[in-house]
Amino acid sequence: MVTSVNVSGLSKSYNTGSGAVPVFLDLSFQLAAGESLALTGPSGSGKSTLLNILCGVEGVDDGSMQVLGRDGATLTADQWAGLRRRRVGVVFQDSNLMPAMTLEENVKLRADLAGRSFGPVRDWLARLGLAGLEQRYPDQVSGGQRQRAALAMVFAMGPDLVLADEPTGSLDRHTARDVADALFHWQRTQGCGLILATHDLALAERCDRRLDLAEGGQG
Amino acid sequence: MILRAVLSHYRRHPLQLLALWLILTLATALWSGVWSLTGQARDSMTAGDSQLSGRQQVVRSDGAPVTVADFASLRRHGLCVFPWLQVATDDARGQVVGIDPLAMACSRGAATGSGFSMDGQPFVDIAEAAERAASGHSATLRLYVTKGDASLPEGWQRQGDPGGLSTGELSDSFLLNLDALGLLVVLVSALLIRSVYTLGLAQRRESLGLLERYGVTRRRLRLHLLLELMVLAALGVVPGYLLGQGLADVLAGGFGAALGNLFETDLLATGESLTGFLVTLVMMILVVLWCGLDLLRGNAGRTRSKAHPVMGAVLILAGMVLVVPAQSLVTVFLGTGLVLAGAGLMTPALLGWCLSPSPHMPPLKLWRRRELGVLAGRLALPLVALQLAAGTVIAVHALVSTFEGTFHEWLDQRLAGDVFVEVPEGKPLAPAATWLESQDGVAQWHPVLRGAAGLGMNGENRQVDLMATDTTSTLIRQWSLLASVSQPWQALADGDVLVNEQLARRQDLKPGSQLTLVIADKERVVEVVGVYADYGRPAGEVLVDTRHLPDGFVSGFRSLTIDLADGSGGVSRSDLVAGLEAAWQVGSLQVRDNETIHRLATRIFDQTFALTRSISYLTLLLAGVALLMTGWVVLRSRAWYFGLLSAWGLTHRQRRQTITMLTAEFMVAIWVAALPVGIALTWVLVDRINPVAFGWTLPMAIYPGYWLELLLLFGLAAVVVGWLASSGRTEAPVQAPRLDGGQER
């Protein structure tokens, strides 16, 4: 099996004024290429922290991990930045777009940073139901449309791994389903890895596997 | 409890509270410092001018202003004292001086009318001046005695002088410009306070809205906010005032020391004054009310109106229409104020338009341009304040540099030669001339005779001052003329005339103009062959060669300018004085060492130039600090989006470069916007205020080298802001951006 992510014995804690607070201990799991994994667990269980670790934004206390065949322990900050730029797409719950740029300009910016052509940008927007809204600014469209534009940005960069943090968390059920449909459809057709942090069990069920961090994360 | 909730914002953002207090304190410090420095400069220059002029002012030892009763008291004491009532006017003259024709007999040379003809230029009868003063025009009464008069009664002291050169007019011009600068400082710092305050308020909109939803009335909220602002202002005023006084004392220390050394007396008034504090307090209250007014109207922190650029253009046009043909200072100041207000309204929108991206730009550059547009909108007030401050600094630098050059050149011309000797009353020139010609140690010399002449222009006969000298003297021929025909000195020696700039401006005279000159009732038509600078006084003057004076001419004042030969062949000054005393058969002579006078005047002015530069730099510093603070707050509110750049794969270095490039472009844009303001202000200062107030102008000069220095300073500030904005977390954002306003375009 070609693995996108291989995590072994990962531990992470935060230092507070009253001492170290563990987030997770000895976490291990694997994600195959083209597979999707849901991270679930209550608030504070470390879902967002794990995503940050997997994209090189935060360090770990202990353990090892491989992301897209690279050893996380040996990657420098610039090499992590290179991975995020071209191979790892990140989607947040909200505010994935630059507010002073139109939807189309946002998608072009992300494609440009990834070294992709602008050709399919309008096509991605159209496929996500945003035709005619390309020149609108983020504050001129709905929350669902903003999230779809955020997906268009990820699609336009063509990553090998997508890390999504509550991508439908701020949307109504109907819109959340539309956005999730688009995300899973694209992920499966492209054969890209997907790790998705969510409270929504229905959404988690749509992933190939689920990892509950509240239960120690042994996946 | 409500107050606690209102203030809770500052618990979360203590730096913002500190920033607001700091800007209030610094603005107060600047105001009180400028007030104090301007006052000290005025007092010092008045004292210095009195020291340099031919008359001696008598003042009360207790420092109280003199009154008419004092004049009567001194006269009863037997002192030959003459009053001098300076009254401001609304017309182009700027001021008139009321003199008493009878008392002026005490002033040597006054009776002949040299410099004292009561034609309103600027001398009038003291009764007329008193009438103007009574009608509300500001007036100053001074009392003078001539040097060597009897001792003064107890409670009085004199301010003596070493010679006859008056720099008073030049000083007045400089002080007027200093006052204009002070007004600009107030305007700029008021804008800064408002910008820091409204930016903080905009960030509190959500929490205030929440309180309103919980049932707190809007009126109550606004009153709480106004109270908070008043308390903060009160906390800032006292330390700010003391800081300003300390600053003024430090800056003026060198000035005071220089004056003290030069005149062996303490001329510089220092220390705190109740008036200064009250003025500062009143200014602060006005500025706080200005901020609070919007608060009470409920539109604080609102974005710019789309009509602003149009209003700005209209104001600029209206201002120019007023300034260009202005005949009074009030009109010039009003017009300039309109132009500055217009520039302030136009600049943010203009910058936004100039920086608007082209659709074909690379996306990252396009992002930068779009962020610039956001910055220009959200930092509109501090941007305009910094633009005006930088424009002021540019104008002040140009003014001071031009002033320095002009002043030194003029002093060199007027103080040519080593020694200036007054010809004793009633003594002919001939014996001295014979003795001087016989001395190998005298390199060259020329006489200067002063008197009055009539000028026939358009059927009118106007009295003007007359200066006659030997125009073949190389000391005179080294004068640089503002305008002339070819070979002006030869034409002058042949009987034509030069006129000073004041007369040329008033009568629209140019090289080649014809005029009818009446000297000692003898009339002749002459040609104006040149115009010379004359910064010592506002009166019009004609310069002729002594050989063309008619026989009946009576001079009011006569002097000799003597240049001694260098080296061992030169006659000593004491021998010179002894030789001339013997030639005229007098016991003593009024002799002035030109070099000493030159040094005195130069040192005083140099210190004053340094003070002016300090004020303008402090204004720039305040504006820079305010921009740093507000810029930092705004950039922090965009931190999420800068974090997105990291999440999208920009390295820490690339992100820092991108953000620094953003701040650099922003600062360069402000610098560019400041240039036209600086040039316009320079032009107003040298070409409008001076001609309107004093009848002469300074050459308009610009200093691109200095602009580049300023650009470097702006670049440095950009790097600091960029570094601050991009330092800290280098990682991607991990929480939804709830930094207030961060999601706005």
Side-chain angles (χ1 to χ4, degrees):
Chain A
M1 181 179 77
V2 180
T3 56
S4 278
V5 177
N6 190 351
V7 169
S8 176
L10 215 58
S11 296
K12 174 73 179 177
S13 58
Y14 285 120
N15 282 319
T16 65
S18 53
V21 177
V23 183
F24 43 74
L25 286 169
D26 197 23
L27 181 69
S28 300
F29 69 90
Q30 284 191 334
L31 180 77
E35 193 184 17
S36 58
L37 172 71
L39 298 178
T40 58
S43 296
S45 60
K47 300 186 295 292
S48 295
T49 303
L50 181 57
L51 291 183
N52 283 336
I53 289 169
L54 291 175
C55 67
V57 163
E58 287 191 51
V60 292
D61 300 335
D62 201 10
S64 65
M65 65 173 173
Q66 287 215 324
V67 178
L68 299 173
R70 311 286 296 271
D71 181 359
T74 61
L75 286 176
T76 64
D78 284 2
Q79 287 168 330
W80 272 116
L83 269 186
R84 289 196 299 272
R85 190 164 183 150
R86 293 173 193 278
R87 300 186 66 191
V88 179
V90 184
V91 183
F92 300 100
Q93 181 178 341
D94 199 356
S95 300
N96 287 285
L97 310 175
M98 293 294 181
M101 299 174 87
T102 64
L103 301 189
E104 184 180 356
E105 287 167 353
N106 266 287
V107 181
K108 277 185 173 174
L109 173 59
R110 190 65 191 89
D112 184 56
L113 290 173
R116 305 283 179 173
S117 88
F118 300 158
V121 164
R122 280 193 163 240
D123 188 39
W124 282 120
L125 285 168
R127 279 204 244 169
L128 286 159
L130 298 171
L133 302 176
E134 297 91 344
Q135 298 310 313
R136 298 262 183 101
Y137 289 91
D139 64 352
Q140 292 173 330
V141 296
S142 69
Q145 287 165 333
R146 278 199 292 271
Q147 277 310 76
R148 276 185 270 163
L151 290 185
M153 293 170 73
V154 170
F155 300 169
M157 69 169 285
D160 299 315
L161 173 67
V162 173
L163 305 174
D165 191 358
E166 302 277 7
T168 58
S170 61
L171 306 177
D172 64 72
R173 203 166 57 184
H174 178 72
T175 311
R177 195 183 61 220
D178 284 351
V179 168
D181 285 349
L183 177 60
F184 282 112
H185 175 72
W186 177 84
Q187 181 258 330
R188 278 167 190 148
T189 52
Q190 299 294 314
C192 139
L194 168 67
I195 299 179
L196 186 149
T198 183
H199 286 290
D200 183 350
L201 291 180
L203 182 64
E205 288 303 323
R206 297 183 65 172
C207 292
D208 299 327
R209 282 191 299 128
R210 182 176 145 195
L211 178 68
D212 192 342
L213 292 182
E215 294 169 2
Q218 296 301 317
Chain B
M1 201 61 207
I2 295 168
L3 188 63
R4 219 165 146 182
V6 168
L7 294 176
S8 66
H9 173 80
Y10 292 125
R11 257 207 320 268
R12 233 186 109 206
H13 303 285
L15 282 179
Q16 223 173 76
L17 180 66
L18 183 69
L20 187 56
W21 175 82
L22 196 66
I23 202 78
L24 286 164
T25 306
L26 288 178
T28 312
L30 194 61
W31 295 342
S32 76
V34 167
W35 171 267
S36 178
L37 283 173
T38 310
Q40 288 177 28
R42 174 168 280 109
D43 291 349
S44 305
M45 293 178 95
T46 303
D49 179 48
S50 166
Q51 294 287 64
L52 292 168
S53 67
R55 56 187 186 267
Q56 283 183 309
Q57 191 180 349
V58 286
V59 294
R60 292 171 60 115
S61 303
D62 60 8
V66 296
T67 62
V68 176
D70 289 326
F71 168 66
S73 160
L74 289 172
R75 287 293 298 121
R76 283 197 199 104
H77 193 265
L79 200 72
C80 200
V81 59
F82 56 98
W84 187 275
L85 183 61
Q86 272 177 256
V87 186
T89 65
D90 297 327
D91 57 22
R93 290 172 300 177
Q95 67 169 16
V96 292
V97 178
I99 53 174
D100 178 11
L102 295 174
M104 285 309 285
C106 292
S107 173
R108 184 173 42 206
T112 59
S114 174
F116 293 114
S117 57
M118 291 189 291
D119 59 0
Q121 299 292 337
F123 299 104
V124 295
D125 187 280
I126 199 163
E128 191 186 326
E131 198 177 317
R132 281 174 187 273
S135 68
H137 292 84
S138 68
T140 312
L141 177 65
R142 294 196 178 108
L143 299 177
Y144 289 98
V145 292
T146 48
K147 200 173 173 183
D149 262 347
S151 60
L152 297 175
E154 202 175 316
W156 289 89
Q157 60 190 59
R158 69 180 75 220
Q159 293 177 331
D161 77 293
L165 178 79
S166 170
T167 55
E169 197 68 23
L170 207 60
S171 311
D172 285 349
S173 156
F174 198 76
L175 289 169
L176 188 66
N177 290 328
L178 211 58
D179 286 340
L181 174 64
L183 280 176
L184 263 176
V185 167
V186 171
L187 179 71
V188 167
S189 47
L191 274 177
L192 294 176
I193 290 175
R194 191 183 154 101
S195 65
V196 172
Y197 183 66
T198 49
L199 191 71
L201 205 61
Q203 291 190 291
R204 298 164 73 179
R205 250 182 310 188
E206 272 187 34
S207 57
L208 294 174
L210 204 59
L211 282 174
E212 210 178 330
R213 283 200 289 279
Y214 291 162
V216 183
T217 63
R218 193 170 286 190
R219 189 171 167 275
R220 198 161 172 199
L221 277 178
R222 287 173 191 161
L223 283 177
H224 274 108
L225 288 171
L226 199 58
L227 181 69
E228 168 201 305
L229 186 59
M230 290 293 232
V231 169
L232 263 178
L235 290 175
V237 160
V238 175
Y241 175 75
L242 294 176
L243 186 67
Q245 290 299 311
L247 202 68
D249 286 348
V250 169
L251 287 173
F255 192 35
L259 287 173
N261 290 337
L262 292 170
F263 298 112
E264 294 174 350
T265 175
D266 184 17
L267 290 173
L268 192 68
T270 55
E272 295 84 16
S273 74
L274 183 64
T275 318
F277 180 71
L278 289 178
V279 167
T280 309
L281 190 66
V282 167
M283 280 199 286
M284 179 54 79
I285 289 171
L286 288 176
V287 171
V288 166
L289 285 178
W290 183 43
C291 294
L293 206 64
D294 269 1
L295 202 64
L296 294 174
R297 286 202 306 240
N299 57 355
R302 275 209 185 147
T303 50
R304 290 168 289 135
S305 157
K306 284 183 178 164
H308 278 178
V310 179
M311 282 164 60
V314 170
L315 286 181
I316 289 176
L317 275 177
M320 284 168 69
V321 166
L322 282 178
V323 170
V324 173
Q327 290 299 311
S328 78
L329 282 178
V330 174
T331 318
V332 175
F333 283 133
L334 184 66
T336 308
L338 288 179
V339 170
L340 291 180
L345 285 175
M346 271 187 87
T347 300
L350 200 63
L351 282 187
W353 179 75
C354 290
L355 295 171
S356 57
S358 123
H360 305 297
M361 269 181 180
L364 199 56
K365 192 171 179 190
L366 186 136
W367 171 81
R368 227 172 44 225
R369 285 293 181 86
R370 285 279 160 79
E371 286 295 311
L372 273 177
V374 172
L375 289 184
R378 298 176 74 188
L379 293 174
L381 276 179
L383 179 158
V384 168
L386 187 63
Q387 176 200 19
L388 295 186
T392 305
V393 170
I394 289 171
V396 164
H397 178 267
L399 173 77
V400 168
S401 301
T402 310
F403 213 94
E404 275 178 315
T406 307
F407 179 68
H408 290 308
E409 192 179 331
W410 178 67
L411 273 185
D412 286 342
Q413 287 182 10
R414 292 309 172 98
L415 297 173
D418 296 317
V419 182
F420 171 95
V421 180
E422 289 184 23
V423 177
E425 197 77 36
K427 298 290 182 185
L429 275 175
T434 307
W435 184 81
L436 286 169
E437 291 297 339
S438 68
Q439 298 300 310
D440 292 337
V442 174
Q444 53 189 327
W445 68 278
H446 65 259
V448 174
L449 313 179
R450 292 188 176 274
L455 210 59
M457 294 282 304
N458 306 321
E460 289 177 42
N461 191 14
R462 252 188 112 80
Q463 281 287 107
V464 291
D465 287 352
L466 178 76
M467 175 179 173
T469 188
D470 176 5
T471 58
T472 60
S473 165
T474 50
L475 295 178
I476 294 291
R477 289 198 173 193
Q478 69 182 3
W479 286 19
S480 59
L481 300 175
L482 299 174
S484 71
V485 298
S486 63
Q487 307 290 331
W489 299 111
Q490 186 53 51
L492 194 60
D494 292 343
D496 287 322
V497 299
L498 294 177
V499 295
N500 70 358
E501 187 187 355
Q502 291 87 317
L503 186 61
R505 283 183 168 272
R506 284 185 200 125
Q507 303 298 335
D508 196 24
L509 296 174
K510 296 179 181 62
S513 300
Q514 302 277 320
L515 53 85
T516 306
L517 190 65
V518 185
I519 307 174
D521 295 332
K522 296 197 175 47
E523 188 176 300
R524 66 188 174 100
V525 176
V526 293
E527 185 182 327
V528 174
V529 293
V531 178
Y532 59 93
D534 187 8
Y535 303 116
R537 65 239 164 78
E541 185 181 74
V542 176
L543 192 154
V544 301
D545 190 284
T546 43
R547 284 178 290 265
H548 295 279
L549 287 173
D551 289 341
F553 171 73
V554 179
S555 60
F557 181 81
R558 296 170 300 160
S559 63
L560 301 176
T561 296
I562 302 164
D563 193 27
L564 301 176
D566 295 330
S568 56
V571 64
S572 72
R573 281 166 207 228
S574 54
D575 288 347
L576 176 78
V577 174
L580 287 174
E581 283 174 350
W584 276 319
Q585 296 179 323
V586 292
S588 69
L589 280 176
Q590 293 290 331
V591 180
R592 188 182 72 196
D593 180 349
N594 279 349
E595 195 187 324
T596 306
I597 301 302
H598 196 295
R599 203 172 56 245
L600 292 176
T602 303
R603 285 184 64 181
I604 292 170
F605 271 88
D606 282 350
Q607 288 287 348
T608 313
F609 295 144
L611 284 186
T612 313
R613 283 201 173 107
S614 303
I615 293 172
S616 60
Y617 277 120
L618 284 174
T619 312
L620 186 68
L621 181 72
L622 182 70
V625 168
L627 189 79
L628 281 177
M629 289 193 295
T630 48
W632 185 56
V633 170
V634 169
L635 288 174
R636 266 176 61 89
S637 76
R638 312 295 285 178
W640 168 268
Y641 303 105
F642 299 155
L644 270 186
L645 292 177
S646 288
W648 294 348
L650 255 62
T651 63
H652 179 58
R653 192 171 53 84
Q654 287 168 329
R655 191 177 79 144
R656 177 160 283 176
Q657 276 175 353
T658 303
I659 296 171
T660 306
M661 188 70 87
L662 172 74
T663 53
E665 283 179 351
F666 185 62
M667 294 302 276
V668 169
I670 299 177
W671 176 80
V672 171
L675 293 183
V677 172
I679 294 170
L681 277 177
T682 309
W683 175 75
V684 168
L685 287 171
V686 303
D687 210 63
R688 298 310 304 143
I689 291 180
N690 281 333
V692 169
F694 309 105
W696 46 262
T697 181
L698 290 168
M700 170 82 190
I702 54 174
Y703 300 87
Y706 181 72
W707 298 354
L708 290 178
E709 282 177 34
L710 209 57
L711 179 61
L712 278 179
L713 197 69
F714 272 54
L716 191 68
V719 170
V720 171
V721 179
W723 184 82
L724 281 175
S726 60
S727 61
R729 285 189 6 194
T730 60
E731 65 272 29
V734 291
Q735 302 172 21
R738 286 297 171 218
L739 287 162
D740 309 85
Q743 293 177 86
E744 290 175 9
R745 266 187 285 145

